[in-house]
Amino acid sequence: MKRLMAMLLGGVIALMVFAAGGNPVQAADVSSSSSQPVTTKSDCGCNVTILTGAERNKIVSNLLKSESFKQVKKEYKKQGYTWNGAHDIQVVRNNDNHAILVGVPFTDPKGNKVIFVFYENQLAYISPEDN
């Protein structure tokens, strides 16, 4: 009797798994989670590519390991700035001259978001974030 019940319940479970309609797993939106670089014309008219995925991560890793970034972070932390973390860092390549710019967001003492832009692991300029 136990074998009959086990086979009957096993058959019902198999039927439910293989014959049930629909798929509960939904794919993410491709446009928002793509790891492919996106080429755009920015507001400044620049021909840039937003780097993502492994290429972005490698550039960010190299920047975070550099002495210049550590010095900038330390200096501005003393002034009351806070670093927002690596997840918010933006990496952009200018397609005209192949320059790679890394935008690192910090928060100033007043709570405003400020972008520290690095070029070749050196601080190039500081810009308030565009809203």
Short mmCIF file of all heavy atoms in Angstrom, two decimals, residues 50-122:
data_model
loop_
_atom_site.label_atom_id
_atom_site.label_comp_id
_atom_site.label_asym_id
_atom_site.label_seq_id
_atom_site.Cartn_x
_atom_site.Cartn_y
_atom_site.Cartn_z
N ILE A 50 29.74 54.29 -22.11
CA ILE A 50 29.65 53.99 -20.69
C ILE A 50 30.12 52.55 -20.51
O ILE A 50 29.52 51.63 -21.07
CB ILE A 50 28.22 54.17 -20.18
CG1 ILE A 50 27.76 55.61 -20.39
CG2 ILE A 50 28.12 53.77 -18.71
CD1 ILE A 50 26.29 55.83 -20.18
N LEU A 51 31.19 52.36 -19.76
CA LEU A 51 31.75 51.02 -19.58
C LEU A 51 31.06 50.32 -18.42
O LEU A 51 30.80 50.93 -17.38
CB LEU A 51 33.25 51.11 -19.33
CG LEU A 51 34.07 51.79 -20.43
CD1 LEU A 51 35.54 51.82 -20.06
CD2 LEU A 51 33.88 51.08 -21.75
N THR A 52 30.79 49.03 -18.62
CA THR A 52 30.13 48.23 -17.61
C THR A 52 30.81 46.87 -17.53
O THR A 52 31.72 46.58 -18.31
CB THR A 52 28.64 48.03 -17.94
OG1 THR A 52 28.53 47.40 -19.22
CG2 THR A 52 27.88 49.34 -17.96
N GLY A 53 30.38 46.05 -16.62
CA GLY A 53 30.85 44.67 -16.54
C GLY A 53 32.30 44.56 -16.10
O GLY A 53 32.81 45.36 -15.32
N ALA A 54 32.97 43.56 -16.64
CA ALA A 54 34.34 43.24 -16.23
C ALA A 54 35.32 44.37 -16.56
O ALA A 54 36.23 44.65 -15.78
CB ALA A 54 34.80 41.95 -16.91
N GLU A 55 35.11 45.04 -17.69
CA GLU A 55 36.00 46.13 -18.07
C GLU A 55 35.91 47.27 -17.06
O GLU A 55 36.92 47.80 -16.61
CB GLU A 55 35.64 46.63 -19.47
CG GLU A 55 36.61 47.65 -20.03
CD GLU A 55 36.29 48.03 -21.47
OE1 GLU A 55 35.23 47.64 -22.00
OE2 GLU A 55 37.11 48.74 -22.06
N ARG A 56 34.70 47.62 -16.66
CA ARG A 56 34.49 48.66 -15.65
C ARG A 56 35.10 48.24 -14.32
O ARG A 56 35.80 49.01 -13.67
CB ARG A 56 33.00 48.93 -15.47
CG ARG A 56 32.70 49.90 -14.33
CD ARG A 56 31.31 49.59 -13.72
NE ARG A 56 31.06 50.43 -12.57
CZ ARG A 56 31.32 50.05 -11.32
NH1 ARG A 56 31.87 48.88 -11.06
NH2 ARG A 56 31.07 50.85 -10.31
N ASN A 57 34.84 47.00 -13.92
CA ASN A 57 35.33 46.53 -12.63
C ASN A 57 36.85 46.55 -12.55
O ASN A 57 37.42 46.87 -11.51
CB ASN A 57 34.79 45.12 -12.35
CG ASN A 57 33.30 45.11 -12.14
OD1 ASN A 57 32.68 46.15 -11.90
ND2 ASN A 57 32.70 43.95 -12.25
N LYS A 58 37.52 46.22 -13.64
CA LYS A 58 38.98 46.23 -13.66
C LYS A 58 39.51 47.65 -13.49
O LYS A 58 40.45 47.89 -12.72
CB LYS A 58 39.48 45.62 -14.97
CG LYS A 58 40.98 45.53 -15.07
CD LYS A 58 41.39 44.88 -16.38
CE LYS A 58 42.91 44.86 -16.51
NZ LYS A 58 43.33 44.35 -17.81
N ILE A 59 38.91 48.60 -14.18
CA ILE A 59 39.34 50.00 -14.09
C ILE A 59 39.08 50.54 -12.69
O ILE A 59 39.93 51.21 -12.09
CB ILE A 59 38.63 50.84 -15.17
CG1 ILE A 59 39.11 50.42 -16.55
CG2 ILE A 59 38.86 52.33 -14.94
CD1 ILE A 59 38.28 50.96 -17.69
N VAL A 60 37.91 50.24 -12.13
CA VAL A 60 37.58 50.69 -10.78
C VAL A 60 38.54 50.08 -9.76
O VAL A 60 39.03 50.77 -8.86
CB VAL A 60 36.10 50.35 -10.43
CG1 VAL A 60 35.82 50.58 -8.96
CG2 VAL A 60 35.16 51.19 -11.29
N SER A 61 38.83 48.81 -9.91
CA SER A 61 39.76 48.14 -8.99
C SER A 61 41.13 48.78 -9.02
O SER A 61 41.74 49.03 -7.97
CB SER A 61 39.87 46.66 -9.37
OG SER A 61 40.85 46.02 -8.60
N ASN A 62 41.63 49.08 -10.22
CA ASN A 62 42.93 49.73 -10.34
C ASN A 62 42.93 51.12 -9.70
O ASN A 62 43.91 51.51 -9.06
CB ASN A 62 43.37 49.83 -11.80
CG ASN A 62 43.76 48.48 -12.36
OD1 ASN A 62 44.14 47.58 -11.63
ND2 ASN A 62 43.66 48.33 -13.67
N LEU A 63 41.83 51.85 -9.87
CA LEU A 63 41.74 53.18 -9.26
C LEU A 63 41.74 53.08 -7.74
O LEU A 63 42.46 53.81 -7.06
CB LEU A 63 40.49 53.92 -9.73
CG LEU A 63 40.24 55.26 -9.04
CD1 LEU A 63 41.33 56.27 -9.42
CD2 LEU A 63 38.87 55.80 -9.36
N LEU A 64 40.93 52.16 -7.20
CA LEU A 64 40.81 52.05 -5.74
C LEU A 64 42.12 51.60 -5.10
O LEU A 64 42.38 51.92 -3.93
CB LEU A 64 39.68 51.08 -5.37
CG LEU A 64 38.28 51.51 -5.81
CD1 LEU A 64 37.26 50.48 -5.38
CD2 LEU A 64 37.93 52.89 -5.30
N LYS A 65 42.97 50.88 -5.84
CA LYS A 65 44.26 50.44 -5.32
C LYS A 65 45.34 51.52 -5.44
O LYS A 65 46.38 51.40 -4.81
CB LYS A 65 44.74 49.18 -6.04
CG LYS A 65 43.93 47.95 -5.72
CD LYS A 65 44.53 46.71 -6.34
CE LYS A 65 44.14 46.60 -7.78
NZ LYS A 65 44.56 45.34 -8.42
N SER A 66 45.09 52.56 -6.23
CA SER A 66 46.12 53.57 -6.48
C SER A 66 46.33 54.45 -5.25
O SER A 66 45.41 54.74 -4.50
CB SER A 66 45.74 54.43 -7.69
OG SER A 66 44.68 55.29 -7.36
N GLU A 67 47.57 54.90 -5.10
CA GLU A 67 47.93 55.77 -3.98
C GLU A 67 47.25 57.13 -4.10
O GLU A 67 46.87 57.72 -3.10
CB GLU A 67 49.44 55.93 -3.89
CG GLU A 67 50.15 54.74 -3.28
CD GLU A 67 49.67 54.40 -1.88
OE1 GLU A 67 49.50 55.32 -1.04
OE2 GLU A 67 49.44 53.21 -1.62
N SER A 68 47.10 57.61 -5.33
CA SER A 68 46.48 58.93 -5.51
C SER A 68 45.03 58.93 -5.02
O SER A 68 44.59 59.89 -4.39
CB SER A 68 46.57 59.39 -6.96
OG SER A 68 45.84 58.52 -7.80
N PHE A 69 44.28 57.86 -5.31
CA PHE A 69 42.90 57.78 -4.83
C PHE A 69 42.87 57.72 -3.31
O PHE A 69 42.06 58.40 -2.67
CB PHE A 69 42.16 56.57 -5.42
CG PHE A 69 40.78 56.41 -4.86
CD1 PHE A 69 39.75 57.23 -5.29
CD2 PHE A 69 40.51 55.48 -3.88
CE1 PHE A 69 38.46 57.11 -4.76
CE2 PHE A 69 39.24 55.35 -3.34
CZ PHE A 69 38.22 56.17 -3.78
N LYS A 70 43.76 56.92 -2.74
CA LYS A 70 43.79 56.80 -1.28
C LYS A 70 44.10 58.14 -0.62
O LYS A 70 43.52 58.49 0.40
CB LYS A 70 44.82 55.75 -0.87
CG LYS A 70 44.42 54.34 -1.25
CD LYS A 70 45.51 53.35 -0.92
CE LYS A 70 45.17 51.95 -1.41
NZ LYS A 70 46.26 51.01 -1.15
N GLN A 71 45.02 58.91 -1.23
CA GLN A 71 45.37 60.23 -0.69
C GLN A 71 44.19 61.21 -0.80
O GLN A 71 43.89 61.94 0.14
CB GLN A 71 46.60 60.80 -1.42
CG GLN A 71 47.89 60.10 -1.08
CD GLN A 71 48.26 60.25 0.38
OE1 GLN A 71 47.96 61.24 1.02
NE2 GLN A 71 48.90 59.22 0.91
N VAL A 72 43.52 61.22 -1.97
CA VAL A 72 42.37 62.11 -2.16
C VAL A 72 41.27 61.74 -1.18
O VAL A 72 40.69 62.63 -0.53
CB VAL A 72 41.86 62.03 -3.62
CG1 VAL A 72 40.50 62.70 -3.77
CG2 VAL A 72 42.87 62.64 -4.57
N LYS A 73 41.00 60.47 -1.04
CA LYS A 73 39.95 60.01 -0.12
C LYS A 73 40.28 60.43 1.31
O LYS A 73 39.42 60.94 2.04
CB LYS A 73 39.81 58.48 -0.22
CG LYS A 73 38.72 57.90 0.63
CD LYS A 73 38.66 56.40 0.42
CE LYS A 73 37.83 55.74 1.48
NZ LYS A 73 37.88 54.29 1.41
N LYS A 74 41.51 60.24 1.71
CA LYS A 74 41.95 60.59 3.07
C LYS A 74 41.85 62.09 3.30
O LYS A 74 41.34 62.55 4.33
CB LYS A 74 43.38 60.10 3.28
CG LYS A 74 43.93 60.34 4.65
CD LYS A 74 45.34 59.78 4.76
CE LYS A 74 45.97 60.05 6.10
NZ LYS A 74 47.35 59.55 6.17
N GLU A 75 42.34 62.89 2.32
CA GLU A 75 42.35 64.34 2.45
C GLU A 75 40.93 64.90 2.56
O GLU A 75 40.64 65.74 3.42
CB GLU A 75 43.05 64.95 1.24
CG GLU A 75 43.10 66.45 1.24
CD GLU A 75 43.75 67.01 -0.02
OE1 GLU A 75 44.61 66.31 -0.61
OE2 GLU A 75 43.38 68.13 -0.41
N TYR A 76 40.03 64.44 1.69
CA TYR A 76 38.68 64.98 1.69
C TYR A 76 37.83 64.41 2.83
O TYR A 76 36.87 65.04 3.25
CB TYR A 76 38.00 64.78 0.33
CG TYR A 76 38.50 65.80 -0.66
CD1 TYR A 76 39.57 65.54 -1.49
CD2 TYR A 76 37.90 67.04 -0.73
CE1 TYR A 76 40.04 66.49 -2.38
CE2 TYR A 76 38.36 68.01 -1.62
CZ TYR A 76 39.43 67.72 -2.44
OH TYR A 76 39.89 68.67 -3.31
N LYS A 77 38.19 63.25 3.34
CA LYS A 77 37.49 62.71 4.50
C LYS A 77 37.73 63.61 5.71
O LYS A 77 36.83 63.84 6.52
CB LYS A 77 37.96 61.29 4.78
CG LYS A 77 37.09 60.55 5.77
CD LYS A 77 37.47 59.08 5.85
CE LYS A 77 36.50 58.36 6.75
NZ LYS A 77 36.77 56.94 6.81
N LYS A 78 38.95 64.15 5.81
CA LYS A 78 39.28 65.09 6.89
C LYS A 78 38.43 66.35 6.79
O LYS A 78 38.15 67.00 7.79
CB LYS A 78 40.76 65.47 6.85
CG LYS A 78 41.69 64.38 7.27
CD LYS A 78 43.14 64.86 7.18
CE LYS A 78 44.11 63.74 7.48
NZ LYS A 78 45.51 64.18 7.30
N GLN A 79 38.04 66.73 5.56
CA GLN A 79 37.23 67.93 5.33
C GLN A 79 35.74 67.67 5.50
O GLN A 79 34.92 68.56 5.26
CB GLN A 79 37.52 68.49 3.94
CG GLN A 79 38.94 68.94 3.75
CD GLN A 79 39.18 69.45 2.33
OE1 GLN A 79 38.24 69.78 1.61
NE2 GLN A 79 40.44 69.49 1.94
N GLY A 80 35.36 66.44 5.85
CA GLY A 80 33.96 66.13 6.09
C GLY A 80 33.24 65.43 4.95
O GLY A 80 32.04 65.16 5.04
N TYR A 81 33.94 65.12 3.87
CA TYR A 81 33.33 64.39 2.76
C TYR A 81 33.22 62.91 3.11
O TYR A 81 34.03 62.38 3.87
CB TYR A 81 34.18 64.52 1.50
CG TYR A 81 34.08 65.87 0.82
CD1 TYR A 81 34.78 66.96 1.32
CD2 TYR A 81 33.30 66.05 -0.31
CE1 TYR A 81 34.71 68.20 0.70
CE2 TYR A 81 33.24 67.28 -0.94
CZ TYR A 81 33.93 68.35 -0.43
OH TYR A 81 33.86 69.57 -1.05
N THR A 82 32.21 62.25 2.56
CA THR A 82 32.09 60.79 2.74
C THR A 82 32.03 60.15 1.36
O THR A 82 31.41 60.67 0.43
CB THR A 82 30.81 60.42 3.52
OG1 THR A 82 29.67 60.97 2.88
CG2 THR A 82 30.87 60.91 4.95
N TRP A 83 32.70 59.01 1.26
CA TRP A 83 32.74 58.26 0.00
C TRP A 83 31.50 57.40 -0.07
O TRP A 83 31.13 56.72 0.88
CB TRP A 83 34.01 57.42 -0.05
CG TRP A 83 34.16 56.60 -1.27
CD1 TRP A 83 33.92 56.97 -2.55
CD2 TRP A 83 34.62 55.25 -1.34
NE1 TRP A 83 34.19 55.95 -3.42
CE2 TRP A 83 34.63 54.87 -2.70
CE3 TRP A 83 35.04 54.33 -0.41
CZ2 TRP A 83 35.02 53.62 -3.13
CZ3 TRP A 83 35.43 53.08 -0.84
CH2 TRP A 83 35.41 52.74 -2.18
N ASN A 84 30.84 57.36 -1.23
CA ASN A 84 29.59 56.63 -1.38
C ASN A 84 29.77 55.16 -1.73
O ASN A 84 28.79 54.45 -1.87
CB ASN A 84 28.71 57.30 -2.43
CG ASN A 84 28.30 58.70 -2.02
OD1 ASN A 84 28.53 59.11 -0.89
ND2 ASN A 84 27.71 59.44 -2.92
N GLY A 85 30.99 54.69 -1.92
CA GLY A 85 31.23 53.29 -2.22
C GLY A 85 31.48 53.03 -3.69
O GLY A 85 31.17 53.85 -4.55
N ALA A 86 32.03 51.86 -3.96
CA ALA A 86 32.43 51.51 -5.32
C ALA A 86 31.24 51.25 -6.25
O ALA A 86 31.37 51.36 -7.46
CB ALA A 86 33.34 50.29 -5.30
N HIS A 87 30.09 50.89 -5.70
CA HIS A 87 28.95 50.54 -6.55
C HIS A 87 28.42 51.74 -7.35
O HIS A 87 27.79 51.56 -8.38
CB HIS A 87 27.83 49.93 -5.70
CG HIS A 87 27.31 50.85 -4.64
ND1 HIS A 87 27.97 51.04 -3.45
CD2 HIS A 87 26.22 51.63 -4.61
CE1 HIS A 87 27.29 51.91 -2.73
NE2 HIS A 87 26.23 52.29 -3.40
N ASP A 88 28.67 52.97 -6.89
CA ASP A 88 28.18 54.15 -7.60
C ASP A 88 29.18 54.74 -8.58
O ASP A 88 28.90 55.72 -9.25
CB ASP A 88 27.81 55.25 -6.59
CG ASP A 88 26.49 54.97 -5.89
OD1 ASP A 88 25.69 54.18 -6.42
OD2 ASP A 88 26.27 55.53 -4.81
N ILE A 89 30.38 54.17 -8.68
CA ILE A 89 31.42 54.72 -9.55
C ILE A 89 31.03 54.53 -11.02
O ILE A 89 30.56 53.46 -11.41
CB ILE A 89 32.78 54.06 -9.26
CG1 ILE A 89 33.24 54.43 -7.85
CG2 ILE A 89 33.82 54.49 -10.29
CD1 ILE A 89 34.54 53.78 -7.43
N GLN A 90 31.20 55.59 -11.81
CA GLN A 90 30.87 55.56 -13.24
C GLN A 90 32.16 55.63 -14.05
O GLN A 90 33.04 56.43 -13.75
CB GLN A 90 29.98 56.73 -13.60
CG GLN A 90 28.68 56.75 -12.84
CD GLN A 90 27.91 58.04 -13.04
OE1 GLN A 90 28.38 58.96 -13.70
NE2 GLN A 90 26.72 58.10 -12.48
N VAL A 91 32.26 54.80 -15.08
CA VAL A 91 33.43 54.78 -15.95
C VAL A 91 32.97 55.08 -17.38
O VAL A 91 32.07 54.42 -17.89
CB VAL A 91 34.15 53.41 -15.89
CG1 VAL A 91 35.39 53.42 -16.78
CG2 VAL A 91 34.53 53.07 -14.46
N VAL A 92 33.60 56.08 -17.99
CA VAL A 92 33.21 56.53 -19.33
C VAL A 92 34.46 56.63 -20.19
O VAL A 92 35.50 57.12 -19.75
CB VAL A 92 32.52 57.91 -19.26
CG1 VAL A 92 32.18 58.43 -20.64
CG2 VAL A 92 31.28 57.85 -18.40
N ARG A 93 34.35 56.15 -21.44
CA ARG A 93 35.45 56.28 -22.40
C ARG A 93 35.02 57.26 -23.49
O ARG A 93 33.96 57.09 -24.11
CB ARG A 93 35.81 54.94 -23.03
CG ARG A 93 36.91 55.07 -24.09
CD ARG A 93 37.33 53.76 -24.74
NE ARG A 93 36.19 52.99 -25.17
CZ ARG A 93 36.02 51.69 -24.87
NH1 ARG A 93 36.90 51.05 -24.16
NH2 ARG A 93 34.95 51.06 -25.31
N ASN A 94 35.84 58.27 -23.73
CA ASN A 94 35.60 59.21 -24.82
C ASN A 94 36.06 58.52 -26.11
O ASN A 94 37.22 58.18 -26.24
CB ASN A 94 36.38 60.51 -24.58
CG ASN A 94 36.05 61.56 -25.61
OD1 ASN A 94 35.80 61.26 -26.77
ND2 ASN A 94 36.06 62.80 -25.19
N ASN A 95 35.15 58.31 -27.04
CA ASN A 95 35.46 57.58 -28.26
C ASN A 95 36.31 58.38 -29.24
O ASN A 95 36.91 57.81 -30.15
CB ASN A 95 34.18 57.11 -28.94
CG ASN A 95 33.45 56.09 -28.10
OD1 ASN A 95 34.05 55.31 -27.38
ND2 ASN A 95 32.14 56.12 -28.16
N ASP A 96 36.37 59.69 -29.08
CA ASP A 96 37.17 60.52 -29.99
C ASP A 96 38.65 60.45 -29.66
O ASP A 96 39.48 60.34 -30.55
CB ASP A 96 36.68 61.97 -29.95
CG ASP A 96 35.25 62.09 -30.45
OD1 ASP A 96 34.84 61.27 -31.30
OD2 ASP A 96 34.53 62.99 -29.97
N ASN A 97 38.99 60.52 -28.38
CA ASN A 97 40.41 60.49 -28.00
C ASN A 97 40.77 59.29 -27.12
O ASN A 97 41.88 59.21 -26.62
CB ASN A 97 40.81 61.80 -27.31
CG ASN A 97 40.04 62.03 -26.03
OD1 ASN A 97 39.34 61.18 -25.54
ND2 ASN A 97 40.18 63.23 -25.49
N HIS A 98 39.82 58.39 -26.88
CA HIS A 98 39.99 57.16 -26.11
C HIS A 98 40.39 57.40 -24.66
O HIS A 98 40.97 56.52 -24.01
CB HIS A 98 40.99 56.22 -26.79
CG HIS A 98 40.59 55.89 -28.19
ND1 HIS A 98 39.52 55.08 -28.49
CD2 HIS A 98 41.10 56.31 -29.39
CE1 HIS A 98 39.39 54.99 -29.79
NE2 HIS A 98 40.32 55.72 -30.37
N ALA A 99 40.13 58.58 -24.13
CA ALA A 99 40.40 58.87 -22.72
C ALA A 99 39.36 58.18 -21.86
O ALA A 99 38.18 58.16 -22.19
CB ALA A 99 40.37 60.38 -22.49
N ILE A 100 39.81 57.60 -20.77
CA ILE A 100 38.90 56.95 -19.83
C ILE A 100 38.80 57.81 -18.58
O ILE A 100 39.81 58.11 -17.94
CB ILE A 100 39.37 55.53 -19.49
CG1 ILE A 100 39.31 54.66 -20.74
CG2 ILE A 100 38.54 54.94 -18.37
CD1 ILE A 100 39.78 53.26 -20.57
N LEU A 101 37.59 58.23 -18.27
CA LEU A 101 37.31 59.05 -17.09
C LEU A 101 36.52 58.23 -16.09
O LEU A 101 35.59 57.51 -16.46
CB LEU A 101 36.54 60.30 -17.48
CG LEU A 101 37.20 61.23 -18.49
CD1 LEU A 101 36.25 62.34 -18.90
CD2 LEU A 101 38.48 61.80 -17.91
N VAL A 102 36.89 58.36 -14.83
CA VAL A 102 36.21 57.63 -13.77
C VAL A 102 35.59 58.65 -12.82
O VAL A 102 36.30 59.48 -12.24
CB VAL A 102 37.20 56.72 -13.00
CG1 VAL A 102 36.48 55.93 -11.94
CG2 VAL A 102 37.93 55.80 -13.95
N GLY A 103 34.28 58.60 -12.67
CA GLY A 103 33.55 59.50 -11.78
C GLY A 103 33.25 58.81 -10.47
O GLY A 103 32.54 57.81 -10.43
N VAL A 104 33.82 59.35 -9.39
CA VAL A 104 33.65 58.76 -8.06
C VAL A 104 32.78 59.69 -7.23
O VAL A 104 33.19 60.81 -6.92
CB VAL A 104 35.01 58.54 -7.37
CG1 VAL A 104 34.81 57.89 -6.01
CG2 VAL A 104 35.93 57.71 -8.24
N PRO A 105 31.56 59.26 -6.86
CA PRO A 105 30.69 60.14 -6.09
C PRO A 105 31.06 60.18 -4.60
O PRO A 105 31.34 59.16 -3.98
CB PRO A 105 29.30 59.53 -6.28
CG PRO A 105 29.54 58.12 -6.65
CD PRO A 105 30.89 58.05 -7.28
N PHE A 106 31.11 61.39 -4.08
CA PHE A 106 31.29 61.65 -2.66
C PHE A 106 30.12 62.51 -2.20
O PHE A 106 29.44 63.13 -3.02
CB PHE A 106 32.59 62.42 -2.40
CG PHE A 106 33.84 61.59 -2.43
CD1 PHE A 106 34.41 61.19 -3.63
CD2 PHE A 106 34.47 61.21 -1.26
CE1 PHE A 106 35.56 60.44 -3.67
CE2 PHE A 106 35.63 60.46 -1.29
CZ PHE A 106 36.17 60.07 -2.48
N THR A 107 29.90 62.57 -0.91
CA THR A 107 28.90 63.47 -0.35
C THR A 107 29.64 64.51 0.47
O THR A 107 30.45 64.16 1.33
CB THR A 107 27.90 62.70 0.54
OG1 THR A 107 27.29 61.67 -0.25
CG2 THR A 107 26.82 63.62 1.06
N ASP A 108 29.36 65.80 0.18
CA ASP A 108 30.05 66.87 0.90
C ASP A 108 29.45 67.04 2.30
O ASP A 108 28.43 66.43 2.62
CB ASP A 108 30.06 68.16 0.08
CG ASP A 108 28.70 68.82 -0.04
OD1 ASP A 108 27.73 68.40 0.62
OD2 ASP A 108 28.59 69.78 -0.81
N PRO A 109 30.07 67.87 3.14
CA PRO A 109 29.56 68.03 4.51
C PRO A 109 28.13 68.55 4.59
O PRO A 109 27.44 68.32 5.58
CB PRO A 109 30.54 69.04 5.13
CG PRO A 109 31.79 68.91 4.33
CD PRO A 109 31.35 68.56 2.95
N LYS A 110 27.66 69.22 3.54
CA LYS A 110 26.28 69.74 3.53
C LYS A 110 25.28 68.70 3.05
O LYS A 110 24.09 68.97 3.01
CB LYS A 110 26.21 70.98 2.64
CG LYS A 110 27.03 72.14 3.16
CD LYS A 110 26.94 73.31 2.21
CE LYS A 110 27.83 74.45 2.67
NZ LYS A 110 27.81 75.56 1.73
N GLY A 111 25.76 67.53 2.61
CA GLY A 111 24.87 66.47 2.13
C GLY A 111 24.66 66.46 0.63
O GLY A 111 23.85 65.68 0.13
N ASN A 112 25.37 67.32 -0.11
CA ASN A 112 25.25 67.36 -1.56
C ASN A 112 26.18 66.33 -2.19
O ASN A 112 27.29 66.11 -1.72
CB ASN A 112 25.61 68.75 -2.09
CG ASN A 112 24.71 69.82 -1.51
OD1 ASN A 112 23.51 69.64 -1.39
ND2 ASN A 112 25.31 70.93 -1.11
N LYS A 113 25.72 65.72 -3.29
CA LYS A 113 26.54 64.75 -4.00
C LYS A 113 27.52 65.49 -4.90
O LYS A 113 27.14 66.39 -5.64
CB LYS A 113 25.66 63.82 -4.81
CG LYS A 113 26.22 62.44 -4.98
CD LYS A 113 25.18 61.51 -5.57
CE LYS A 113 25.64 60.09 -5.46
NZ LYS A 113 24.71 59.16 -6.06
N VAL A 114 28.79 65.10 -4.83
CA VAL A 114 29.85 65.71 -5.61
C VAL A 114 30.60 64.60 -6.33
O VAL A 114 30.84 63.54 -5.76
CB VAL A 114 30.82 66.50 -4.69
CG1 VAL A 114 31.95 67.10 -5.48
CG2 VAL A 114 30.07 67.56 -3.93
N ILE A 115 30.95 64.83 -7.60
CA ILE A 115 31.66 63.83 -8.39
C ILE A 115 33.14 64.22 -8.49
O ILE A 115 33.47 65.30 -8.95
CB ILE A 115 31.07 63.70 -9.81
CG1 ILE A 115 29.57 63.39 -9.75
CG2 ILE A 115 31.81 62.64 -10.61
CD1 ILE A 115 29.21 62.07 -9.16
N PHE A 116 34.01 63.31 -8.04
CA PHE A 116 35.45 63.48 -8.20
C PHE A 116 35.83 62.72 -9.46
O PHE A 116 35.63 61.51 -9.53
CB PHE A 116 36.20 62.91 -7.00
CG PHE A 116 36.10 63.73 -5.75
CD1 PHE A 116 34.88 64.08 -5.20
CD2 PHE A 116 37.24 64.14 -5.11
CE1 PHE A 116 34.79 64.82 -4.05
CE2 PHE A 116 37.17 64.89 -3.94
CZ PHE A 116 35.94 65.24 -3.41
N VAL A 117 36.36 63.41 -10.46
CA VAL A 117 36.67 62.79 -11.74
C VAL A 117 38.16 62.51 -11.80
O VAL A 117 38.98 63.41 -11.61
CB VAL A 117 36.23 63.69 -12.91
CG1 VAL A 117 36.58 63.04 -14.25
CG2 VAL A 117 34.73 63.96 -12.83
N PHE A 118 38.49 61.25 -12.08
CA PHE A 118 39.88 60.81 -12.19
C PHE A 118 40.20 60.48 -13.63
O PHE A 118 39.40 59.87 -14.33
CB PHE A 118 40.12 59.57 -11.31
CG PHE A 118 40.11 59.86 -9.84
CD1 PHE A 118 38.92 59.95 -9.14
CD2 PHE A 118 41.29 60.03 -9.15
CE1 PHE A 118 38.91 60.21 -7.78
CE2 PHE A 118 41.30 60.30 -7.80
CZ PHE A 118 40.10 60.39 -7.11
N TYR A 119 41.41 60.89 -14.05
CA TYR A 119 41.93 60.57 -15.38
C TYR A 119 43.31 59.98 -15.15
O TYR A 119 44.17 60.61 -14.53
CB TYR A 119 41.98 61.82 -16.25
CG TYR A 119 42.67 61.61 -17.58
CD1 TYR A 119 42.07 60.84 -18.56
CD2 TYR A 119 43.90 62.17 -17.83
CE1 TYR A 119 42.69 60.64 -19.78
CE2 TYR A 119 44.54 61.98 -19.05
CZ TYR A 119 43.92 61.21 -20.01
OH TYR A 119 44.54 61.01 -21.22
N GLU A 120 43.55 58.77 -15.65
CA GLU A 120 44.80 58.05 -15.45
C GLU A 120 45.18 57.99 -13.96
O GLU A 120 46.31 58.27 -13.56
CB GLU A 120 45.93 58.67 -16.28
CG GLU A 120 45.69 58.52 -17.77
CD GLU A 120 46.83 59.07 -18.62
OE1 GLU A 120 47.79 59.61 -18.06
OE2 GLU A 120 46.73 58.93 -19.85
N ASN A 121 44.20 57.64 -13.14
CA ASN A 121 44.33 57.48 -11.69
C ASN A 121 44.76 58.74 -10.96
O ASN A 121 45.25 58.67 -9.83
CB ASN A 121 45.27 56.32 -11.35
CG ASN A 121 44.66 54.97 -11.67
OD1 ASN A 121 43.45 54.86 -11.88
ND2 ASN A 121 45.48 53.95 -11.75
N GLN A 122 44.58 59.91 -11.55
CA GLN A 122 44.88 61.19 -10.92
C GLN A 122 43.61 62.01 -10.89
O GLN A 122 42.84 62.00 -11.86
CB GLN A 122 45.98 61.94 -11.69
CG GLN A 122 47.29 61.22 -11.77
CD GLN A 122 47.96 61.04 -10.41
OE1 GLN A 122 47.89 61.90 -9.55
NE2 GLN A 122 48.57 59.88 -10.21
#
